[in-house]
Amino acid sequence: MDTDPYAVIRSILFRLDPETAHRLTLTMLPWVHRSGLLTSFLPRKIECPRVVMGLRFPNPVGLAAGLDKDGECFEAFEAMGFGFVELGTVTPRPQPGNPAPRMFRLPGAEALINRMGFNNQGVDALVERLRRRSSQKSPGIVGVNLGKNRDTPLERAVEDYLIGLRRVYPYADYVAINLSSPNTPHLRLLQNDSTLPRLLSTLKEEQQHLTDEYGRRVPIALKIAPDLSPDEVEKIAHTLLAQEIDGVIATNTTIDRTAVAHLPHGTEEGGLSGTPLGDSSTAVIKRLSAVLGGRIPILGSGGILTPEDALAKTRAGASLVQVYTGLIYRGPALVAAIASALCAEAP
Ligand SMILES: Cc1cc2nc3c(=O)[nH]c(=O)nc-3n(C[C@H](O)[C@H](O)[C@H](O)COP(=O)(O)O)c2cc1C
């Protein structure tokens, strides 16, 4: 008999369409957390602190952006054992995202394809929830991932990131700049060598002003795509060094369908996550690490479904890891399993 209660929950959730299952989970989770049920079924939170980007992470396993976009249940995710939770992507104004269906399961590959398109309630709704948190400060690290509104022209994208940065600055532990979602038209072009240095230097300047204003420095990390050429990854790494960016998250989802084109839903448009993304994201981490040489920390994301997958990321050069699709397929017990494996290795 299967003793993992998640096997039962998963069999129910997987009968629902993916977005309904997602919504139901986010609705139930705060209640499950408050009732004490969550912690009674899960192993104790693994404590093995890591100092990265000047912040003390209780353990190196984070929830990747996109699952709790509007910050509706980050306390529950912290209680689930995550050392940190990345909220967002949020945009300055609320927006509905793409028409449904826009999220697909590929169980044969332990993968998802999504083209949500930054559906979110807008940065102010998130700030309101974070404001409440700061009055009863929870111990975990909370990052906020920022994007641009779909209808903001690309040449004015920096204004959206500046709005987001200013709004969340007093409440976020770190900020992630998302230039790598495949579901906002042309967003990934901002990773190009012709635009990236200027965009990052503008954000760095604002970070300095805000540090002076609030007496607290909130680190900024850049989240990049797995579909960049090795040469492009190296150029980005050099730009990160030149601009003294605090961290880099590698990677977002992929537009490559080679591994899944034969599967049901395998050719849906959007970003592919889960197992088929693992190797390409690890390759990006290795390439970044070769240039960065430990001077800027890497947060590894993409295809972590087992502790071994997470170890591949840290061995490639990541200091922390993030999980999304693995949580859907393997359940919350995965968090402690990964944390134990990473903590058994020297940081
Ligand atoms: C349904 C879904 C929505 C996502 N939304 C976002 C998002 O809003 N912002 C972002 O930076 N990444 C987003 N991601 C990407 C994840 O944060 C993560 O980087 C990616 O899925 C790779 O990790 P995984 O293989 O563990 O899922 C999303 C992923 C999924 C599956």
Side-chain angles (χ1 to χ4, degrees), residues 64-66 69 89 114 145 178 223 251-252 273-274 277 301-303 324-325:
K69 287 183 199 278
T89 295
N114 91 84
N145 181 305
N178 182 4
K223 184 162 177 179
T251 65
N252 212 312
S273 59
L277 170 63
S301 155
Y324 187 139
T325 307

Side-chain angles (χ1 to χ4, degrees), residues 106-111 259-260 263 273-276 329:
L106 290 73
E110 291 197 289
V260 298
L263 295 172
S273 59
T275 300
Y329 282 97

Side-chain angles (χ1 to χ4, degrees), residues 7 20-21 25 45 65 74 77 84 123 132 162 183 202 204 206 223 239 245 250 258 270 284 306 308-309 339 342:
T20 309
T25 306
K45 184 165 181 151
F74 55 91
F77 286 112
F84 64 112
V123 69
R132 270 180 253 145
L162 282 172
N183 302 316
T202 308
K204 282 294 296 183
E206 188 60 21
K223 184 162 177 179
T239 304
I245 295 298
T258 319
V284 171
T306 65
E308 292 69 37
D309 296 335
L342 296 186

